[in-house]
Amino acid sequence: MSRFWNRQVHDLQPYIPGEQPRMTNLVKLNTNESPYGPSPRALEAMKASVTDDLRLYPDPTALALRTAIAEQEGVPVECVFTGNGSDEVLAHAFRALFRDDAPVLFSDVTYGFYPIYCQMFGLDYRTIPLRDDFTIAPDDYDGPAGGVIIANPNANTGISLPLPAIEGLLKRFNAQTVIIDEAYVDFGGTSAVALTQRFPNLLIVRTFSKSSGLAGLRVGYAIGSAELVEGLTRVKDSFNSYPLSRPAQAGAEASIRDTEWLEQTTTRIIATRERTVAALRERGMTVLPSTANFILAHHPSCPADTLFTGLRERAIIVRHQGGSPRISDWLRITIGTDEEMDALLAALDDLLPR
């Protein structure tokens, strides 16, 4: 412990981001990035924004971007909040909207930032085990709660929760904020945004990093009641009132308006995912049903760490979730291009027992 650190910093166990290796001819399937890049309209908008106006601060309210999101989602603009990636949006939500008189509830296999946010903001939490088939069972969420957060589709598994189940949670925890983290919803899940008009305790968190192909831009947003958004804004403006740069606002706005491009790229990724799942199962692997742009896979006789190492030696990077006991023998594989997935399958043919 450095003598200059705050004690809370000493106790933190930070999130470990996915590796960003510098290797030639790399097949990078470890951080759930889009293989197709951003909308051409987004690229043009960002280029056009790089002018002498960069000497001026950006719009602190990101009004043009929030208006585009509101129009796309059919909600009032005052019900939209933006931030520097969905990670920042989530951090503000944990600080602003979760109570500290009872534990925050989330599943035992989910996005790894959730327990870290609780630790950082002094919130107790309780993890709810997934069922044996790795699904979330809403009936298991009970007892005192300072709030509830569910990634849907779930991080690391890719499995979705149907809307009636989410509605049941909202009714059960009607006095607490329920956050649905929809980072991967565009790949086959069903968004719960429509429920925000009926349930003032519901906050939807989305990102431009996955389906929009803008992970390097760092833009996220939330949709919820004006009451929830005001709480987020109070925290944001007490931390950084100018979180989104001019290029970020311009690129994200153009991206969300390019619905045709989004549909084309997500359709391609979904088709590649289904083809890859079938091919892995033909090779004896267990693959969870996914509505995300990744899959979670396991082989009964070839350990995940062996496959991870063997793939890396062949310049193919996947994610080995060794720190989470329930999925320590599973690999999380991002869906890339058809050519990248063919390279993965060819490498597995060399590695898997015949």
Side-chain angles (χ1 to χ4, degrees):
M1 174 178 176
S2 168
R3 62 194 176 99
F4 300 111
W5 290 1
N6 178 287
R7 181 168 297 278
Q8 187 181 38
V9 173
H10 175 264
D11 294 336
L12 282 175
Q13 296 180 338
Y15 179 80
I16 300 174
E19 185 182 8
Q20 299 287 345
R22 300 180 181 274
M23 300 169 60
T24 58
N25 300 316
L26 176 69
V27 176
K28 189 174 184 297
L29 306 175
N30 68 322
T31 48
N32 302 339
E33 296 145 326
S34 171
Y36 299 117
S39 156
R41 288 169 57 179
L43 292 174
E44 289 302 315
M46 286 184 280
K47 291 176 184 177
S49 74
V50 182
T51 69
D52 183 64
D53 283 346
L54 288 179
R55 65 191 171 82
L56 303 173
Y57 283 111
D59 176 6
T61 71
L63 180 59
L65 172 56
R66 289 170 49 237
T67 298
I69 294 169
E71 291 174 354
Q72 178 67 24
E73 300 294 346
V75 299
V77 69
E78 60 268 22
C79 295
V80 180
F81 175 87
T82 56
N84 192 239
S86 62
D87 288 336
E88 182 182 78
V89 175
L90 286 167
H92 290 336
F94 272 66
R95 176 67 286 177
L97 305 177
F98 284 161
R99 293 171 9 201
D100 57 8
D101 59 353
V104 177
L105 307 184
F106 47 83
S107 62
D108 62 336
V109 177
T110 191
Y111 187 32
F113 250 128
Y114 300 163
I116 294 169
Y117 291 142
C118 287
Q119 185 182 16
M120 179 175 290
F121 298 128
L123 300 169
D124 291 333
Y125 66 91
R126 179 163 62 92
T127 58
I128 312 299
L130 299 179
R131 293 293 175 91
D132 291 342
D133 61 357
F134 291 97
T135 58
I136 291 174
D139 289 345
D140 294 343
Y141 286 70
D142 57 11
V148 178
I149 182 164
I150 289 177
N152 194 47
N154 195 20
N156 293 322
T157 70
I159 299 175
S160 287
L161 195 63
L163 286 185
I166 293 173
E167 186 169 351
L169 279 171
L170 291 164
K171 292 176 179 177
R172 186 177 312 147
F173 295 99
N174 60 1
Q176 296 87 9
T177 301
V178 175
I179 299 176
I180 304 297
D181 184 351
E182 294 188 346
Y184 302 101
V185 75
D186 289 330
F187 301 103
T190 302
S191 177
V193 164
L195 295 179
T196 61
Q197 302 302 297
R198 294 169 46 207
F199 295 94
N201 61 324
L202 171 61
L203 188 77
I204 304 296
V205 176
R206 305 284 299 275
T207 180
F208 284 87
S209 296
K210 310 302 181 184
S211 57
S212 296
L214 289 169
L217 201 62
R218 311 309 302 130
V219 182
Y221 61 97
I223 297 174
S225 65
E227 180 182 8
L228 296 183
V229 168
E230 182 182 354
L232 293 173
T233 302
R234 288 173 66 88
V235 170
K236 187 264 289 186
D237 286 345
S238 301
F239 176 71
N240 177 10
S241 54
Y242 298 99
L244 293 182
S245 69
R246 287 174 175 267
Q249 293 185 37
E253 180 190 350
S255 178
I256 202 162
R257 293 191 185 280
D258 195 351
T259 55
E260 181 179 356
W261 175 89
L262 179 67
E263 183 177 356
Q264 289 174 350
T265 54
T266 54
T267 297
R268 291 175 70 184
I269 291 168
I270 291 168
T272 302
R273 180 189 70 207
E274 297 310 299
R275 181 178 71 86
T276 303
V277 168
L280 291 176
R281 287 172 177 166
E282 288 174 359
R283 287 160 172 79
M285 298 192 76
T286 300
V287 185
L288 298 186
S290 174
T291 53
N293 69 334
F294 63 85
I295 51 179
L296 196 66
H298 161 79
H299 195 278
S301 61
C302 193
D305 57 354
T306 299
L307 290 176
F308 174 83
T309 301
L311 289 171
R312 186 182 178 84
E313 290 170 350
R314 291 161 175 80
I316 300 172
I317 307 295
V318 297
R319 192 77 182 256
H320 181 211
Q321 305 284 0
S324 182
R326 292 191 65 184
I327 55 173
S328 61
D329 200 31
W330 294 70
L331 296 177
R332 195 191 70 192
I333 304 168
T334 300
I335 302 302
T337 64
D338 285 323
E339 293 75 17
E340 288 173 329
M341 305 316 289
D342 286 341
L344 170 76
L345 295 172
L348 288 173
D349 286 339
D350 289 340
L351 294 168
L352 293 174
R354 300 182 185 276

